[in-house]
Amino acid sequence: MYRGKRFWFVALCFCLLIPLLNNSAHAATQPKIGIYLDGKKIETDVPPYIIPKLNVTMVPLSVISKNLGANVNWSQSDKTVTIRHEGRLLSMTIGQNYALVGGQRVDLETSVQAIGGRTMVPLRFVSNQLNLLVTWYQSSQTIMLQSQGGSEENPQENPRENPQNPGSSTDGSLRGAWVSTVYNLDWPSDKSYGKSEQQKQDYIQMLDDLQGMGMNAVFVQVRPSADSFYPSALVPWSKYLQGKQGAEPDYDPLAFMIEETHKRGMEFHAWFNPFRATVDAKTDGLAPNHVAITHPDWIVKSGSKTYINPGIPEARQHIIDTIMEVVNGYAIDGVHLDDYFYPSDGVFADDATYMANNSNGIGNKADWRRDNINQFVKSLGESIHRAKPFVRFGISPFGVWRNQSVDPTGSDTKAGVTTYDNMYADVRTWIKQEWIDYVAPQIYWSLSFKVAQYDKLVDWWANEVRGTNVELLVGHAPYKLGTKEAGWNAAQEIIDQLNYNRNVPEVKGDIFFSAKDLRKNPLGLVPLLQSYYQTARP
């Protein structure tokens, strides 16, 4: 009889412990969750965890008290948490499925919990009550908290101007480097195929090198040729990861890169090559789900490359969908497009598309092509800002919009190619309509190159953004240092360009092409950059 009572007593105790054991197990087995407040990572002594089915993230009370600036009190006697912040008062009690907010009862999906000697509270509920915007990124297991109110500008909308962001420079400017993955130019190396740890260490070393030069942002090419550097439901894995398109690595490169970049307080901008389908015309090495295989009717060959036809509405939407897959799934700071719209050379056979997809009755094909790209840019910008207003959307066009000889409002240049006439990119409209947050023209010429002079082009682009909410970043060409083109015989050329930008208030930052060229220290550029950025104006 005694044995029977003892058995039931033990069984009862075990049943009572199951919820606590389950919660502890969830905390132990779930992927580590990162929490960022206005771009700065929050460190916790107890890892956050998610309650299954409810999808509620629980965090230790110390996150609220130490990082969110709230006054917190825990009453052991009645198991109640009281939180005071900027005149707001809320309380929650273990076992109760409601909270009191200013004395008013508000239902909760789950109550306060006590785990391992720590009091755990529902993060989203508390953050919303404290006027914080909460965004969850599933793929990278990251929670972003953004302050709302208290200033005219949301810090997350322009993180490099946020004083809490350790990646911010002393002069508030963005200092970025493009990281090309196509052809394994910057990262990863083709020698690292199938070696995830080497790829990780190579990326870490590259970040450390760039930050040591003064960079506070990277623009990493995550879609080099209609493929991806992240697990995608829409496009195949890039061949530049494993040596074969569609081959899956044993880690998520994008999630890893974002985490390592944010660890250093640097911004991570996801760079997409929009319309390039392949770097050659071959199809035998493409994965079965590559767009050239699934939609050959969308593909146009021009020169040695193939392109997704911008004139087909469904094709444009497909590209937007692939970009939004990253916007919705990762804690990126920005979406960045390069200048791959229509190709600037070769024949692009789209007469039939023009006839079939011209519902607006546009009278000539050049204007129709520009309208296709305009629709794409407008729709993509709206999609990004609707989903996450703080994610910045920018485009890096070729450095000359139009020559003055063709258009009196163009620049004083004699470029053989222009973005408006050859790539059908009507950048002026994007700026005036404010479909983009910034423009980063590739001004890859020196101050002494008369055909396309650096200072004249900076002035022209500054005039274009003046009076709008579109910022100007300038693309620089350290890869040209040491070449025979006029003006590139000394690294001081880059410093002179940066000094020129100081006197143009519209210039809000610089991006260098590319990471590998900076790391080569061409003509002794690196120490000059370090010295320049250390003495940049406050």
Side-chain angles (χ1 to χ4, degrees):
M1 186 68 176
Y2 173 74
R3 286 183 178 179
K5 287 182 178 180
R6 186 171 64 179
F7 170 79
W8 287 112
F9 176 75
V10 171
L12 176 62
C13 290
F14 180 75
C15 290
L16 292 173
L17 283 171
I18 284 176
L20 296 181
L21 291 173
N22 282 341
N23 285 331
S24 298
H26 291 314
T29 59
Q30 288 183 351
K32 187 175 180 181
I33 297 172
I35 304 177
Y36 291 81
L37 173 62
D38 292 335
K40 183 177 181 180
K41 188 168 186 178
I42 293 176
E43 301 297 339
T44 63
D45 55 348
V46 176
Y49 61 87
I50 298 173
I51 298 178
K53 297 183 181 179
L54 296 178
N55 288 324
V56 175
T57 304
M58 305 296 289
V59 298
L61 194 56
S62 59
V63 167
I64 309 301
S65 60
K66 294 179 181 179
N67 297 280
L68 304 187
N71 182 275
V72 173
N73 181 62
W74 165 251
S75 173
Q76 180 64 30
S77 59
D78 56 8
K79 307 292 193 244
T80 298
V81 173
T82 303
I83 301 174
R84 293 180 175 84
H85 181 68
E86 295 182 352
R88 298 181 68 83
L89 175 65
L90 58 146
S91 63
M92 296 172 286
T93 302
I94 289 180
Q96 290 183 349
N97 61 351
Y98 65 88
L100 295 177
V101 180
Q104 300 296 313
R105 178 168 166 162
V106 178
D107 291 337
L108 293 172
E109 293 178 292
T110 187
S111 69
V112 177
Q113 297 181 356
I115 302 295
R118 295 290 189 274
T119 303
M120 310 294 288
V121 296
L123 176 63
R124 182 176 294 275
F125 172 77
V126 174
S127 297
N128 287 341
Q129 295 304 320
L130 301 184
N131 289 322
L132 296 172
L133 176 65
V134 184
T135 307
W136 166 248
Y137 300 87
Q138 174 67 34
S139 299
S140 57
Q141 296 287 295
T142 300
I143 298 167
M144 297 291 287
L145 305 175
Q146 293 93 39
S147 302
Q148 300 182 91
S151 65
E152 292 183 2
E153 181 175 60
N154 182 341
Q156 253 329 95
E157 291 181 359
N158 195 354
R160 68 179 180 278
E161 293 183 0
N162 175 14
Q164 295 185 31
N165 181 0
S168 299
S169 60
T170 56
D171 62 355
S173 65
L174 182 142
R175 305 160 175 179
W178 277 294
V179 178
S180 295
T181 58
V182 67
Y183 305 116
N184 300 107
L185 290 176
D186 290 309
W187 181 89
S189 163
D190 57 4
K191 296 180 177 60
S192 70
Y193 288 162
K195 302 173 184 177
S196 58
E197 288 307 312
Q198 181 179 334
Q199 289 181 354
K200 291 177 181 180
Q201 290 305 311
D202 289 348
Y203 184 79
I204 288 171
Q205 186 61 58
M206 179 176 63
L207 273 187
D208 289 343
D209 291 347
L210 293 173
Q211 190 172 42
M213 300 175 201
M215 302 300 114
N216 59 20
V218 287
F219 294 72
V220 181
Q221 192 176 35
V222 300
R223 174 190 166 87
S225 50
D227 49 15
S228 69
F229 269 68
Y230 51 91
S232 171
L234 302 172
V235 297
W237 284 101
S238 174
K239 76 172 185 177
Y240 302 114
L241 276 164
Q242 301 282 82
K244 179 182 178 182
Q245 191 176 82
E248 181 177 1
D250 60 0
Y251 74 113
D252 182 339
L254 181 52
F256 169 79
M257 290 189 289
I258 292 170
E259 180 180 3
E260 287 297 326
T261 305
H262 284 167
K263 273 182 185 178
R264 290 157 178 77
M266 301 172 72
E267 294 182 24
F268 186 96
H269 295 250
W271 164 17
F272 297 84
N273 186 291
F275 289 96
R276 182 170 62 199
T278 65
V279 296
D280 54 40
K282 300 176 182 177
T283 59
D284 52 352
L286 299 179
N289 61 332
H290 188 275
V291 65
I293 304 298
T294 60
H295 284 283
D297 52 317
W298 291 359
I299 304 301
V300 177
K301 183 178 182 296
S302 180
S304 60
K305 299 179 178 67
T306 62
Y307 295 79
I308 299 173
N309 191 341
I312 300 175
E314 295 80 9
R316 296 196 300 266
Q317 186 57 49
H318 165 76
I319 298 170
I320 292 173
D321 290 343
T322 64
I323 294 172
M324 291 307 299
E325 190 177 34
V326 172
V327 172
N328 289 316
Y330 291 86
I332 60 174
D333 298 294
V335 168
H336 182 81
L337 304 186
D338 55 26
D339 56 349
Y340 268 81
F341 299 107
Y342 283 92
S344 60
D345 57 354
V347 176
F348 194 86
D350 60 350
D351 286 346
T353 309
Y354 173 47
M355 297 296 293
N357 295 281
N358 188 13
S359 58
N360 293 329
I362 296 174
N364 67 78
K365 193 164 69 171
D367 286 341
W368 171 78
R369 285 179 174 178
R370 280 184 283 271
D371 183 64
N372 292 330
I373 303 302
N374 283 350
Q375 290 185 55
F376 170 76
V377 171
K378 182 176 186 289
S379 181
L380 176 57
E382 290 173 347
S383 298
I384 294 168
H385 293 139
R386 188 185 309 118
K388 293 179 180 172
F390 54 88
V391 171
R392 293 165 58 74
F393 173 38
I395 297 179
S396 177
F398 182 74
V400 177
W401 179 70
R402 296 191 93 184
N403 293 315
Q404 222 172 51
S405 58
V406 176
D407 186 328
T409 67
S411 54
D412 182 14
T413 52
K414 296 180 176 62
V417 172
T418 64
T419 185
Y420 183 92
D421 295 295
N422 299 96
M423 299 169 186
Y424 303 93
D426 187 5
V427 186
R428 172 175 284 172
T429 294
W430 310 343
I431 293 171
K432 299 309 179 187
Q433 296 297 324
E434 297 183 353
W435 293 338
I436 57 179
D437 296 309
Y438 69 85
V439 63
Q442 301 165 27
I443 308 182
Y444 290 170
W445 304 284
S446 72
L447 286 155
S448 56
F449 187 66
K450 301 305 180 183
V451 173
Q453 197 164 301
Y454 177 86
D455 51 345
K456 290 182 178 181
L457 283 165
V458 170
D459 290 348
W460 187 90
W461 285 102
N463 184 66
E464 288 297 299
V465 303
R466 191 171 296 128
T468 73
N469 289 314
V470 178
E471 291 187 350
L472 174 60
L473 307 178
V474 174
H476 297 268
Y479 75 91
K480 284 192 173 180
L481 286 170
T483 65
K484 294 181 179 180
E485 186 177 295
W488 297 104
N489 59 330
Q492 184 62 34
E493 171 66 28
I494 294 289
I495 305 303
D496 291 343
Q497 293 181 4
L498 296 176
N499 281 324
Y500 186 84
N501 292 354
R502 280 186 175 185
N503 298 313
V504 183
E506 287 78 15
V507 177
K508 302 300 183 183
D510 306 278
I511 315 177
F512 298 90
F513 189 86
S514 65
K516 73 177 188 314
D517 298 290
L518 286 176
R519 298 174 78 194
K520 289 177 181 176
N521 188 26
L523 305 182
L525 174 63
V526 170
L528 294 180
L529 282 176
Q530 291 170 330
S531 176
Y532 175 85
Y533 284 135
Q534 286 172 1
T535 58
R537 70 172 186 241

